[in-house]
Amino acid sequence: MSRIGNKPVTVASGVTITITGKEVKVKGPKGELAHTVGDLLDVTYDKAANQIVLKRTLETRQASAQHGLNRSLINNMILGVTTGWKKDLEIRGTGYRGAVQGSNVSLALGYSHPINYPIPAGITVTMPDNTKITITGADKQLVGQVAADIRFYRKPEPYKGKGIRYVGEFVMQKEGKASGKKK
């Protein structure tokens, strides 16, 4: 039994919900998102209570898992179009830096060439400093994927900690190689 799926999703003020068949469209001040619910669930919107309710059509283990997942996805869509989602990255390392140039993020990460990452539609990337990257958008999954893609170009290495990391991410430092001298 899914405890999360049984909770109704409260719709914030200023958000418009449209349900056609199995597709849920959410429109708010930060954008518009859509999600298609699987065949194992039914979706209803109660305008009086201003809530979205998901019900299972079958009582199977897969339906229970889909129940909680889809409820969380719809809730994340509503939060995304009202407040938005944000990920912060930081670049560490001598000579490592970046800049936003038009619709690309240009990164200098110690390779022989600069890396140009195209910014997808619906995502805003800002760099208040040449070593700080802020990614914002309405779609939580897309914001996280863009942050992971940028981090993938130079993951933090365990000896000096150089690379791209999430703000607040802890990277375990390894001890360097011993000198090899015997006493």
Side-chain angles (χ1 to χ4, degrees):
M1 171 168 250
S2 175
R3 294 181 192 161
I4 294 172
N6 289 331
K7 294 180 186 176
V9 180
T10 306
V11 179
S13 61
V15 176
T16 316
I17 304 293
T18 309
I19 298 175
T20 53
K22 298 283 185 179
E23 185 177 41
V24 179
K25 288 185 181 178
V26 179
K27 187 174 183 180
K30 298 266 186 186
E32 184 176 346
L33 298 171
H35 174 68
T36 304
V37 178
D39 294 334
L40 300 173
L41 301 172
D42 285 330
V43 183
T44 55
Y45 176 50
D46 185 10
K47 290 183 182 179
N50 209 20
Q51 293 179 336
I52 297 174
V53 179
L54 283 95
K55 300 240 185 246
R56 292 187 287 262
T57 57
L58 296 172
E59 290 298 324
T60 62
R61 187 175 183 155
Q62 186 178 10
S64 180
Q66 291 294 317
H67 193 199
L69 170 74
N70 283 288
R71 189 256 180 220
S72 293
L73 291 175
I74 292 171
N75 189 46
N76 287 343
M77 287 173 27
I78 292 170
L79 291 174
V81 297
T82 54
T83 59
W85 297 100
K86 177 180 164 186
K87 289 272 188 182
D88 293 319
L89 299 170
E90 62 182 347
I91 303 171
R92 287 194 189 173
T94 306
Y96 290 9
R97 62 188 172 281
V100 177
Q101 298 173 341
S103 64
N104 289 327
V105 177
S106 180
L107 300 167
L109 300 173
Y111 296 116
S112 62
H113 60 285
I115 296 167
N116 292 316
Y117 179 78
I119 302 170
I123 297 293
T124 306
V125 177
T126 56
M127 293 190 73
D129 184 11
N130 64 357
T131 60
K132 306 256 186 273
I133 304 171
T134 303
I135 303 161
T136 57
D139 189 355
K140 183 177 185 180
Q141 190 269 332
L142 189 57
V143 168
Q145 187 62 51
V146 169
D149 289 346
I150 292 174
R151 183 180 179 274
F152 180 74
Y153 287 124
R154 183 68 88 172
K155 290 182 182 175
E157 55 100 9
Y159 294 102
K160 292 185 179 179
K162 296 174 10 176
I164 301 174
R165 65 176 75 190
Y166 297 107
V167 170
E169 178 182 4
F170 177 74
V171 177
M172 181 68 86
Q173 298 282 20
K174 289 184 179 178
E175 194 173 316
K177 194 172 183 180
S179 65
K181 293 182 180 179
K182 292 186 179 182
K183 292 183 182 181

